[in-house]
């Protein structure tokens, strides 16, 4: 059975110490995080910053869009060959616009989809939380097994937590 | 924190010596939270009174709208003022979010207290879409009397401008709401945690389980970037669409490649002006002096000045082609849109968009004052309104049966607004202002999280014999 434990701090340095204490106590990265009411610079608390995969979405989308556009422009021109201005049937400059537009369109749409996926919203199980975080308190939250909860609480208290909450 | 910059040197230090520019004091997070959340309830009775007045004016506008549809449907010339007010509202309120988007991308610190209001202005896209309905339905088809009229839709279906207008407006609403939601999610959580009643319930729904974790902050930045980009693209496309389909293509012989850009540039100028007036009012009537400093007015004032000069550049760039072109259609442009039936409107527009703000905002003292910048903004807004009247009323006054002429040789006379036009215009402005005011009852007019981050990353420090702002700029 896993348990969520939250330590509340009114000093950002204490919260950073709590993160160090949890690391030192052997809790794996990704099981604990810092909750703030305003964005601190990334890494300010020594928190684990997971690698996002957003860049894959526009790249994949652009490849799909480019391929579709290539098929569309080639197939339509071959199916309905009209020589225009003495240029070849498959004229690159005429195709470039469609290739560019469809690549971009597909990249943008897939990025929107990617952001929805990466955002992981709505967060249906936010775990333990305290409304005072939006007032400026800093929360350090850890999700761990029941038998390790006391170790986590000790680490959080050791860094000077003003309050501990569990759920 | 990747780097720290000293945000001062010449301009700030000099201003400080002259006593014009006191450095902002830092505000504790809990104080900022309580004061900014309180703005959603502030001046309750006054806001209610104004909401009633604006609501009644909006309703009168909508009723006039219905009456006009009933008695003047199909008469294109009668809808010029509706087109003008739609173009004005999109120019002014639609341009405001760019004031937030561009400096945010450039990581400007001064924009933080301004961004929320600027983004809320995009909600006016809902009013614009409603007021656009009769314009879209009254816009001539591409095939008129068996022949294709001149437009940008060379081979497109008969209803291309109509369909693309609907697509563009739908995208505008989606990107507007998306931008406000993406940027406002932490503040919805604030309302969930510290609001009451229906605002708390709405905050709970809109916050989507926001707890302020590392991943949530990171993905929020991505969402803001994405929605900001989408809004910008939509903004540019709608200016292109409005200026070509709802103005230029209605006047035979009017061909101007610079006009869509001119339209967009004056819209950014008007968006800056709306933002200045909004934060001026918020500072004065909501007691937000602690959060809205001279820095915001000064920065926007300089941008407004720059765009005022750019207006002149874009206007002359278009004008000089027609002036030296001297063909029949070139002469028509000058005679119809400048020297013709709307000459005095044109003169008023030039004076208020360009000449007066130029010689008003050129003074450092004016740009360094709250009221001076707001007066400049008011002038610009009045000028942009007159400019849209000049362009759109003139364009819509051309009878449909003359649409195939090579260029206009006889110009329709001046169309004056009737009572319904005036009520529709007043109603549209009232509905827009009402929508923004109502939005500030749901979300604080200044973003709580952004103001708190400003305080987090900012320190006023002594530097030799002066004081400077020390600002952390995280990557």
């Amino acid at each position: 059975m896993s348990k969520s434990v939250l330590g509340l701090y009114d000093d950002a340095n204490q919260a950073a110490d709590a993160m160090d204490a949890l690391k030192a106590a052997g809790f794996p990265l990704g099981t604990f995080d810092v909750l703030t009411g305003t964005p601190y610079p990334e890494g300010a608390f020594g928190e684990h910053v997971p690698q996002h995969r957003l860049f894959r979405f526009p790249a994949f989308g652009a490849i799909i869009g480019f391929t579709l556009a290539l098929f569309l422009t080639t197939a339509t021109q071959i199916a309905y060959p009209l020589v225009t201005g003495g240029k070849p049937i498959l004229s690159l400059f005429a195709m470039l616009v469609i290739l560019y537009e469809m690549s971009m369109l597909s990249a943008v749409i897939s990025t929107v989809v990617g952001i929805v996926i990466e955002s992981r919203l709505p967060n249906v199980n936010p775990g333990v939380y305290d409304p005072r975080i939006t007032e400026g308190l800093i929360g350090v939250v850890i999700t761990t097994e029941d038998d390790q909860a006391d170790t986590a609480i000790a680490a959080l208290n050791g860094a000077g937590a003003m309050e501990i909450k569990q759920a | 924190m990747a780097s720290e910059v000293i945000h001062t040197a010449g301009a700030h230090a000099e201003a400080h010596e002259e006593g014009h520019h006191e450095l902002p004091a830092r505000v504790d997070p809990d104080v900022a939270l309580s004061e900014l959340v309180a703005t959603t309830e502030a001046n309750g009775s006054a806001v209610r009174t104004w909401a009633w007045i604006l609501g009644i004016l909006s309703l009168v506008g909508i009723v006039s709208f219905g009456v006009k549809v009933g008695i003047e449907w199909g008469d294109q010339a009668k809808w010029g003022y509706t087109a003008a007010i739609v173009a004005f509202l999109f120019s002014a309120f639609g341009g405001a979010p760019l004031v937030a988007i561009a400096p945010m991308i450039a990581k400007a610190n001064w924009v933080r207290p301004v961004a929320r209001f600027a983004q809320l202005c995009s909600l006016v896209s809902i009013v614009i879409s409603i007021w656009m309905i009769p314009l879209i339905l009254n816009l001539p088809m591409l095939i008129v009397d068996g022949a294709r009229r001149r437009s940008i839709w060379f081979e497109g279906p008969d209803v291309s401008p109509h369909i693309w207008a609907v697509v563009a407006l739908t995208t505008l609403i989606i990107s507007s709401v998306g931008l406000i939601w993406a940027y406002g999610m932490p503040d919805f959580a604030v309302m969930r945690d510290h609001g009451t009643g229906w605002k708390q319930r709405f905050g709970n729904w809109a916050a989507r389980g926001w707890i302020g974790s590392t991943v949530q902050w990171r993905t929020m930045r991505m969402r803001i970037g994405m929605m900001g980009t989408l809004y910008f693209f939509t903004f540019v496309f709608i200016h292109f669409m409005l200026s070509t389909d709802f103005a230029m293509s209605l006047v035979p012989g009017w061909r101007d490649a610079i006009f869509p850009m001119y339209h967009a540039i004056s819209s950014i100028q008007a968006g800056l002006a709306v933002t200045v007036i909004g934060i001026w009012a918020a500072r004065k009537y909501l007691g937000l002096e602690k959060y809205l400093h001279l820095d915001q007015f000064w920065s926007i004032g300089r941008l407004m000045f720059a765009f005022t000069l750019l207006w002149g550049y874009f206007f002359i760039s278009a004008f000089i082609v027609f002036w030296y072109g001297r063909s029949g259609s070139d002469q028509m442009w000058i005679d119809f849109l400048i020297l013709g039936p709307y000459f005095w409107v044109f003169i008023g527009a030039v004076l208020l968009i360009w000449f007066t703000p130029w010689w008003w905002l050129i003074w450092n003292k004016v740009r360094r004052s709250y009221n001076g910048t707001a007066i400049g903004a008011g002038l610009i807004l009045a000028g942009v309104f007159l400019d849209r009247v000049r362009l759109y009323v003139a364009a819509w006054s051309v009878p449909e049966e003359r649409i195939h002429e090579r260029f206009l040789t006889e110009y329709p006379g001046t169309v004056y607004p009737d009572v319904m036009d005036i009520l529709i215009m007043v109603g549209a402005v009232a509905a827009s202002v009402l929508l923004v005011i109502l939005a500030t009852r749901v979300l604080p007019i200044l973003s709580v999280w952004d103001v708190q981050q400003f305080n987090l990353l900012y320190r006023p420090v002594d530097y030799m014999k002066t004081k400077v702002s020390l600002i952390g700029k995280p990557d």
Side-chain angles (χ1 to χ4, degrees):
Chain A
M1 188 73 178
S2 65
K3 196 173 201 175
S4 189
V5 182
L6 173 74
L8 287 169
Y9 301 86
D10 56 5
D11 180 4
N13 291 308
Q14 288 179 328
D17 291 343
M19 298 289 282
D20 288 342
L22 289 171
K23 260 183 249 171
F27 291 102
L29 292 175
T31 59
F32 52 95
D33 196 6
V34 63
L35 309 182
T36 57
T38 190
Y40 279 70
E42 269 185 11
F45 296 96
E47 74 276 19
H48 170 63
V49 183
Q51 179 67 41
H52 71 78
R53 297 179 302 276
L54 186 65
F55 59 90
R56 293 182 188 173
F57 288 89
F60 189 65
I63 292 168
I64 297 270
F66 184 86
T67 311
L68 281 175
L70 195 63
F71 173 75
L72 179 76
T73 49
T74 310
T76 50
Q77 290 184 104
I78 290 174
Y80 195 65
L82 267 181
V83 177
T84 307
K87 302 295 181 195
I89 294 291
L90 292 180
S91 184
L92 184 63
F93 290 107
M95 295 162 72
L96 264 181
V97 177
I98 309 296
L99 294 171
Y100 173 74
E101 295 284 354
M102 281 191 69
S103 304
M104 290 302 289
L105 180 68
S106 183
V108 167
I109 291 171
S110 54
T111 307
V112 172
V113 172
I115 282 180
V116 171
I117 293 169
E118 287 283 320
S119 296
R120 292 158 204 161
L121 291 170
N123 183 8
V124 288
N125 185 20
V128 63
Y129 176 73
D130 192 292
R132 286 172 292 173
I133 287 169
T134 42
E135 287 173 28
L137 292 189
I138 295 154
V140 175
V141 65
I142 176 163
T143 304
T144 183
E145 295 303 315
D146 271 348
D147 57 344
Q148 288 191 307
D150 288 341
T151 314
I153 291 169
L156 294 172
N157 275 327
M162 56 184 282
E163 196 177 318
I164 298 285
K165 292 176 84 172
Q166 299 181 53
Chain B
M1 201 175 298
S3 65
E4 286 196 327
V5 295
I6 294 171
H7 177 243
T8 178
H12 274 226
E14 178 197 337
H16 185 70
E17 279 165 18
E18 290 176 14
H20 291 298
H21 190 207
E22 290 300 321
L23 294 178
R26 296 181 72 231
V27 186
D28 288 335
D30 53 336
V31 176
L33 173 89
S34 60
E35 289 185 353
L36 295 179
V37 170
T39 62
T40 60
E41 306 282 349
N43 299 334
S45 59
V47 169
R48 260 193 299 278
T49 308
W50 272 107
W52 273 108
I53 294 169
L54 293 169
I56 290 167
L57 288 174
S58 310
L59 207 62
V60 169
I62 291 169
V63 170
S64 308
F65 204 63
V67 173
K68 197 174 175 72
V69 167
I71 61 176
E72 291 178 345
W73 189 255
D75 187 351
Q76 189 182 306
K78 300 285 185 187
W79 292 92
Y81 283 94
T82 308
I85 198 67
V86 164
F88 170 70
L89 288 177
F90 180 66
S91 298
F93 288 92
L98 295 191
V99 181
I101 293 166
M104 271 175 88
I105 290 170
K107 299 194 176 188
N109 216 45
W110 62 264
V111 81
R112 292 177 186 278
V114 174
R116 166 64 46 71
F117 174 78
Q119 291 174 359
L120 287 182
C121 287
S122 68
L123 276 180
V124 175
S125 57
I126 295 168
V127 177
I128 293 166
S129 300
I130 295 169
W131 259 248
M132 274 289 276
I133 293 170
L135 299 180
I136 294 171
L137 295 176
N138 268 302
L139 196 67
M141 295 287 165
L142 287 182
I143 307 293
V144 178
D145 299 330
R148 181 173 281 267
R149 67 181 174 90
R150 273 160 294 189
S151 77
I152 54 167
W153 310 102
F154 304 115
E155 301 289 337
D158 200 16
V159 288
S160 295
H162 310 74
I163 289 172
W164 282 106
V166 172
V167 170
L169 289 169
T170 309
T171 315
L172 180 71
I173 292 177
I174 292 170
S175 57
S176 302
V177 174
L179 181 62
I180 291 168
W181 175 71
Y183 181 76
M185 197 177 267
D187 283 0
F188 282 123
V190 164
M191 294 308 289
R192 173 197 66 196
D193 293 346
H194 305 283
T196 53
W198 67 270
K199 292 177 188 177
Q200 186 179 36
R201 287 194 295 279
F202 184 74
N204 187 39
W205 174 81
R208 317 303 287 162
W210 177 273
I211 52 172
S213 66
T214 308
V215 169
Q216 285 182 336
W217 283 117
R218 179 184 241 207
T219 52
M220 187 197 74
R221 280 194 290 271
M222 291 179 200
R223 281 194 299 274
I224 293 174
M226 193 65 218
M227 296 315 299
T229 309
L230 185 62
Y231 185 87
F232 175 71
F233 284 137
T234 313
F235 169 85
V236 171
F237 178 65
I238 292 185
H239 276 294
F240 175 68
M241 180 200 77
L242 270 179
S243 55
T244 53
D245 282 343
F246 290 81
M248 201 157 32
S249 71
L250 300 179
V251 182
W254 182 3
R255 291 188 300 268
D256 183 357
I258 292 173
F259 183 52
M261 285 178 277
Y262 164 90
H263 211 275
I265 286 293
S266 52
S267 168
I268 297 174
Q269 188 189 8
L272 289 161
V274 162
T275 308
V276 165
I277 289 173
I279 61 170
W280 177 85
R283 193 175 184 279
K284 190 171 173 66
Y285 298 109
L286 294 175
L288 296 174
E289 295 90 347
K290 210 186 288 180
Y291 306 97
L292 291 165
H293 315 113
L294 210 46
D295 217 16
Q296 281 79 43
F297 288 82
W298 195 7
S299 303
I300 301 180
R302 278 181 289 190
L303 285 174
M304 223 157 52
F305 181 55
F307 276 88
T308 297
L309 299 180
L310 265 183
W311 184 92
Y313 169 72
F314 274 85
F315 177 78
I316 292 293
S317 299
F319 179 80
I320 207 158
V321 174
F322 298 110
W323 180 255
Y324 280 108
R326 298 181 63 203
S327 68
S329 60
D330 294 331
Q331 196 57 47
M332 183 280 301
W333 184 87
I334 293 173
D335 289 344
F336 184 45
L337 294 171
I338 292 183
L339 301 175
Y342 301 94
F343 174 68
W344 291 108
V345 182
F346 168 74
I347 294 295
V350 170
L351 286 176
L352 291 169
I353 293 185
W354 177 62
F355 189 77
T356 318
W358 170 18
W359 289 103
W360 178 248
L361 292 170
I362 199 168
W363 307 107
N364 277 330
K365 267 195 172 173
V366 170
R367 294 199 308 273
R368 279 187 205 140
S369 72
Y370 300 104
N371 294 337
T373 319
I375 290 169
L379 293 172
I380 288 170
L381 278 184
V384 171
F385 172 71
L386 290 180
D387 194 52
R388 298 307 183 245
V389 166
R390 166 182 81 97
L391 295 164
Y392 285 85
V393 176
W396 282 71
S397 71
V398 177
E400 194 177 310
E401 56 269 20
R402 297 178 60 188
I403 208 157
H404 293 307
E405 290 180 9
R406 203 162 149 239
F407 54 85
L408 279 185
T409 45
E410 288 172 28
Y411 309 125
T414 312
V415 177
Y416 293 98
D418 57 24
V419 176
M420 277 184 294
D421 286 326
I422 293 170
L423 292 177
I424 287 171
M425 286 193 286
V426 170
V429 174
S432 305
V433 176
L434 178 65
L435 205 59
V436 175
I437 288 178
L438 290 180
T440 62
R441 302 276 102 181
V442 181
L443 272 174
I445 192 165
L446 271 57
S447 163
V448 177
W449 72 265
D450 224 355
V451 167
Q452 287 182 342
Q453 197 184 32
F454 173 86
N455 284 308
L456 187 72
L457 300 174
Y458 159 77
R459 299 277 183 284
V461 295
D462 292 327
Y463 184 81
M464 297 176 74
K465 293 183 180 179
T466 186
K467 285 186 184 299
V468 295
S469 307
L470 192 68
I471 298 169
K473 288 200 172 181
D475 281 334

